[in-house]
Amino acid sequence: MGKIIAIANQKGGVGKTTTAINLAASLATLEKSVLLVDSDPQANASSGLGVDIGNVETSLYECLIDPQKDIREAIYETDIPKLDVAASHPNLKGAEVELLQMPKREFIMRGLLERVRADYDYILIDCSPSLGIITVNALAAADSVVIPVQCEYFALEGISQLLMSIRMIKKKLNPALAIEGFLMTMYSKRYRLANQVVDDVKRHFQELVFRTVIHRNVKLSEAPGHGVPVILYDADSSGAAQHLALANEIIQKNNP
């Protein structure tokens, strides 16, 4: 049975989608079968893996509003063997309203993913930067959460809001939800503040902080524009190496 990991932070611009795309690609490169579920209406994870959003016939949106639909209809292969993506679409924004009228609305994504859970080693969910009903669905379906944390002044403030949300989800919807780890992103050693933020997060959360730190990297920023993860765009870049290191950490943690 595959492990379902949500990648979430209510604060925008912290590198969630970059993490989702490149962690998924790195796990697949390490011979793990991976499904990346794009649950953000911006559909950046889908386009970042080469999916032409304009030609998507069935997306996560159709599956959420019609739970009888098989999510396999929304799954597309990528250029990386063993990596598939359940595509998003801008229409997904409308699902926030439509789902409110549905019974057991918080558990619809869980039902969809349970049907394909045995087909993959890892299912990653790229969440949008809000605690709307779709993100609640993702957290209700997940076994654990990776929390990207940008190395900047307001980082801890964003974490505290997310942790309150996770506690609420655990209490009401998903008691087994765990924190996979805090991932420090957009690190630049030139800024003293970045080191201070890393130290603060490690002091607060200790062993829950991944050893791998994702540095600011031009290749990481350029790769989505070419519809590929950084490991295909520039395998020798620090961005590719760091996401491979992160993937190895997660594999070791789950297969000690």
Side-chain angles (χ1 to χ4, degrees):
M1 295 291 282
K3 183 166 189 178
I4 302 176
I5 303 176
I7 299 171
N9 192 325
Q10 288 167 244
K11 191 174 185 300
V14 300
K16 282 189 302 299
T17 299
T18 298
T19 299
I21 291 171
N22 292 293
L23 173 57
S26 296
L27 286 166
T29 300
L30 295 171
E31 296 297 311
K32 301 298 179 182
S33 55
V34 183
L35 173 65
L36 175 56
V37 180
D38 188 353
S39 72
D40 189 336
Q42 296 183 73
N44 290 334
S46 303
S47 59
L49 286 173
V51 176
D52 182 355
I53 303 303
N55 289 323
V56 167
E57 293 184 9
T58 303
S59 70
L60 183 63
Y61 166 74
E62 285 81 13
C63 297
L64 286 173
I65 64 168
D66 180 8
Q68 301 307 311
K69 192 176 282 289
D70 192 333
I71 195 173
R72 291 179 182 89
E73 295 180 41
I75 293 177
Y76 298 80
E77 293 182 349
T78 72
D79 290 336
I80 293 186
K82 291 183 169 286
L83 174 57
D84 296 337
V85 57
S88 183
H89 190 277
N91 287 345
L92 190 59
K93 192 175 293 183
E96 291 282 352
V97 176
E98 294 174 72
L99 287 175
L100 293 176
Q101 317 303 321
M102 298 174 68
K104 297 185 178 179
R105 57 184 179 267
E106 297 93 349
F107 300 105
I108 293 173
M109 191 181 297
R110 179 189 291 182
L112 292 172
L113 296 182
E114 286 299 330
R115 299 174 200 169
V116 295
R117 189 175 182 129
D119 299 340
Y120 297 95
D121 296 312
Y122 292 94
I123 298 176
L124 306 184
I125 309 174
D126 182 31
C127 298
S128 60
S130 68
L131 196 69
I133 188 64
I134 296 173
T135 300
V136 169
N137 260 262
L139 294 175
D143 299 308
S144 64
V145 190
V146 168
I147 304 174
V149 182
Q150 187 177 359
C151 297
E152 61 153 40
Y153 184 73
F154 292 112
L156 289 175
E157 182 179 300
I159 291 176
S160 64
Q161 293 172 351
L162 180 62
L163 291 179
M164 286 175 59
S165 300
I166 290 173
R167 280 195 291 271
M168 180 183 72
I169 299 291
K170 282 173 65 74
K171 183 177 180 181
K172 297 185 176 182
L173 302 174
N174 186 2
L177 183 62
I179 293 175
E180 189 75 23
F182 295 89
L183 175 66
M184 306 307 300
T185 65
M186 302 183 186
Y187 174 82
S188 176
K189 60 184 178 183
R190 292 180 297 169
Y191 301 120
R192 186 167 56 183
L193 175 63
N195 293 302
Q196 187 177 328
V197 171
V198 171
D199 290 343
D200 285 347
V201 173
K202 285 182 176 178
R203 186 167 63 252
H204 276 84
F205 302 108
Q206 300 174 16
E207 72 279 356
L208 284 176
V209 183
F210 288 110
R211 295 188 303 275
T212 303
V213 175
I214 308 299
H215 293 227
R216 289 189 181 273
N217 179 251
V218 172
K219 302 298 183 182
L220 268 180
S221 303
E222 292 176 349
H226 297 267
V228 293
V230 71
I231 201 163
L232 288 187
Y233 183 64
D234 187 346
D236 295 324
S237 67
S238 61
Q242 287 156 12
H243 282 93
L244 276 170
L246 174 64
N248 269 311
E249 269 198 76
I250 287 176
I251 290 169
Q252 289 167 11
K253 182 175 182 178
N254 289 284
N255 300 280

